[in-house]
Amino acid sequence: MTKDQIKSYKSPQLTAEAFGDYLVEKAREKNDQFHVALSGGSTPKILFDYLVKNYKDDPIWSEMHFYWGDERCVPPTDDDSNFKMTKERLFDHLEIDEAQIHRVFGEDDPSEEAERYSSELVEFMPTKKGIPIFDLIILGMGEDGHTASIFPHQIELLESDKVCDVATHPISGQLRVTLTGHVINAAEEVVFLVTGAGKQPKIFEIFHRSGEWHGYPAAHISPLSGKLLWFVDEAAVAGV
């Protein structure tokens, strides 16, 4: 991570708004089908609310296909579901065809669903050597340095030869389906959307390559395209 890759704003609200404008701009520039992987979490909630308020009637939605970088293995009606949150905050308020929404079937067997979802990505997206190429992947980062659902105790998922794999939350044991590292790094662009003082210690270590940085999955996200940005609030990068 370099200074020019960091886009810092005073608050989570302003961070999400700036990224919302950026996302719409990137989709317009493509002027064709735009394949984006979404993230769960509190800041994406702000992002989705902002997009609905400011871009609800924008024609760009007809060009966008939506996927998820990871999903908890729960039904789509469960409050833990990233899909449910996105549906309620974004999709329910926009004119989007169901064929543009590619959700993970969290209610199904995790291993089988990881394979099915992998096949869906390959079917609907451009590929290089069998790897689906996202136009943009939105990632969060946990206070332990995990990203998507690649946790430090399963950092080998960065090197998995699968498109999607099954991850296990280190505390709850909850299973999740996640994109693997080589798929994330194959994207045309990756953007971290990270806010809050709780993330500052890991961002500091990642930026300075200090402490235990090598054990944080987020530190190893480095797209082959070279297009990596961090949209953050000031609390997340204080002292960085």
Side-chain angles (χ1 to χ4, degrees):
M1 191 198 315
T2 61
K3 286 282 188 181
D4 61 353
Q5 290 175 308
I6 298 176
K7 308 295 183 183
S8 176
Y9 305 88
K10 287 187 176 297
S11 67
Q13 182 70 42
L14 292 176
T15 303
E17 290 179 3
F19 176 67
D21 294 337
Y22 183 82
L23 174 63
V24 172
E25 178 185 348
K26 297 299 291 188
R28 286 174 178 165
E29 287 177 0
K30 179 75 180 294
N31 196 30
D32 197 356
Q33 286 191 354
F34 188 84
H35 300 274
V36 57
L38 304 175
S39 174
S42 58
T43 310
K45 289 180 181 178
I46 302 173
L47 167 66
F48 298 152
D49 290 347
Y50 176 75
L51 291 172
V52 169
K53 181 178 179 180
N54 292 274
Y55 294 102
K56 180 177 180 179
D57 298 319
D58 197 297
I60 194 60
W61 300 113
S62 65
E63 299 287 354
M64 298 182 74
H65 279 253
F66 299 92
Y67 309 81
W68 278 263
D70 68 322
E71 180 60 280
R72 299 173 177 92
C73 294
V74 296
T77 54
D78 193 291
D79 287 342
D80 274 352
S81 168
N82 287 336
F83 167 78
K84 179 185 179 184
M85 185 273 285
T86 309
K87 179 179 182 296
E88 292 177 347
R89 304 299 276 256
L90 186 67
F91 299 148
D92 284 352
H93 306 280
L94 304 174
E95 293 292 333
I96 297 179
D97 192 288
E98 288 187 5
Q100 296 170 244
I101 301 171
H102 307 266
R103 78 172 181 92
V104 179
F105 296 157
E107 66 272 30
D108 291 348
D109 176 82
S111 295
E112 293 178 2
E113 177 54 17
E115 293 184 11
R116 187 206 67 81
Y117 199 58
S118 298
S119 297
E120 181 166 344
L121 300 187
V122 171
E123 177 184 355
F124 280 93
M125 295 172 57
T127 61
K128 292 181 182 178
K129 298 181 179 179
I131 299 175
I133 307 298
F134 285 92
D135 290 295
L136 193 149
I137 295 178
I138 305 168
L139 294 175
M141 187 191 74
E143 293 185 6
D144 61 355
H146 85 267
T147 193
S149 279
I150 304 176
F151 296 94
H153 78 288
Q154 288 184 305
I155 200 167
E156 67 274 8
L157 292 180
L158 289 168
E159 305 297 333
S160 172
D161 60 2
K162 298 178 180 179
V163 172
C164 298
D165 215 326
V166 179
T168 305
H169 190 278
I171 298 175
S172 68
Q174 183 187 61
L175 297 180
R176 304 181 178 190
V177 173
T178 184
L179 295 179
T180 58
H182 78 286
V183 173
I184 295 172
N185 283 327
E188 293 291 345
E189 183 169 8
V190 176
V191 173
F192 278 92
L193 187 58
V194 181
T195 60
K199 312 297 177 69
Q200 188 276 344
K202 294 299 186 290
I203 290 180
F204 184 93
E205 291 184 53
I206 291 171
F207 183 83
H208 292 284
R209 294 294 193 259
S210 64
E212 303 297 324
W213 74 271
H214 200 266
Y216 308 146
H220 301 278
I221 303 304
S222 181
L224 298 174
S225 67
K227 297 179 181 179
L228 173 66
L229 291 175
W230 288 68
F231 277 72
V232 297
D233 69 345
E234 291 181 355
V237 290
V240 174

